[in-house]
Amino acid sequence: YDLNVDPSQDDKATEIKLLSFKRPHMRAFHCSWFCFFIAFFIWFAIAPLLPEVKDTLGLTKQQIWTSNICSVFGTIFLRFINGPLCDKYGARIPMGIILAFASIPCAMTGLVNSATSLAVLRFFIGFGGSTFVMCQFWTSRMFTKEVVGTANALVGGWGNLGGGVTQLVMGSVLF
């Protein structure tokens, strides 16, 4: 291993080397936050477009609010499923499947033509936000109890940064 590990804690790393991409610990660390970053980019991509969607489709504030609720509900719903999936398959495979799945409705955003289709689309896009479970599971499996809190904070924070970067990118590119 490139990092010091604790054999009594299942060979989990006892340290974090942010500039390392060596397997398995730091590669998992970086893959975890980057996948979560992508998930948040997918999940938040439509948010800066909602005023345009509202005007184009003639939607009310209530209909936009409903689509917001559907997005969060999709995330919450899938988070309950993701825990057992991680227990059975680990974090990597479910993370990849959910990212691939969530990217499809994200790419279909331009096909929305009603409040109902917006709500359904945002429900499925919301699945991307559920990858938080895999992000935290993956990192927790790689680091000892002495550093796992720091590791989880870093991957969670850098992953959440995807939402902020989305606002910058979508706002800069489109407006």
Side-chain angles (χ1 to χ4, degrees), residues 32-91:
S32 178
W33 77 260
F34 189 68
C35 287
F36 194 42
F37 182 96
I38 292 168
F40 261 65
F41 200 97
I42 291 169
W43 193 20
F44 283 79
I46 197 170
L49 306 176
L50 286 176
E52 291 295 319
V53 172
K54 180 180 179 275
D55 292 344
T56 302
L57 299 179
L59 302 177
T60 65
K61 277 186 174 181
Q62 180 64 35
Q63 290 169 319
I64 294 295
W65 185 251
T66 300
S67 78
N68 291 342
I69 292 169
C70 289
S71 179
V72 172
F73 180 71
T75 296
I76 293 168
F77 170 73
L78 205 57
R79 283 185 182 189
F80 287 113
I81 295 169
N82 287 347
L85 284 176
C86 285
D87 290 339
K88 185 168 184 170
Y89 300 106

Side-chain angles (χ1 to χ4, degrees), residues 118-134:
L118 179 63
V120 170
L121 181 90
R122 295 206 59 206
F123 172 79
F124 288 112
I125 288 174
F127 284 13
S130 73
T131 58
F132 177 77
V133 174
M134 280 81 80

Side-chain angles (χ1 to χ4, degrees), residues 78-113:
L78 205 57
R79 283 185 182 189
F80 287 113
I81 295 169
N82 287 347
L85 284 176
C86 285
D87 290 339
K88 185 168 184 170
Y89 300 106
R92 191 172 45 99
I93 293 169
M95 176 82 84
I97 290 170
I98 289 173
L99 285 177
F101 178 81
S103 68
I104 295 168
C106 185
M108 295 175 66
T109 300
L111 302 176
V112 169
N113 59 11

Side-chain angles (χ1 to χ4, degrees), residues 45 48-49 164-175:
L49 306 176
V165 170
T166 304
Q167 298 296 317
L168 292 172
V169 170
M170 298 302 279
S172 299
V173 170
L174 299 173
F175 300 108

Side-chain angles (χ1 to χ4, degrees), residues 16 136 143-154:
I16 300 169
Q136 297 298 291
F143 296 94
T144 62
K145 62 185 176 184
E146 292 80 14
V147 296
V148 73
T150 302
N152 280 335
L154 289 169

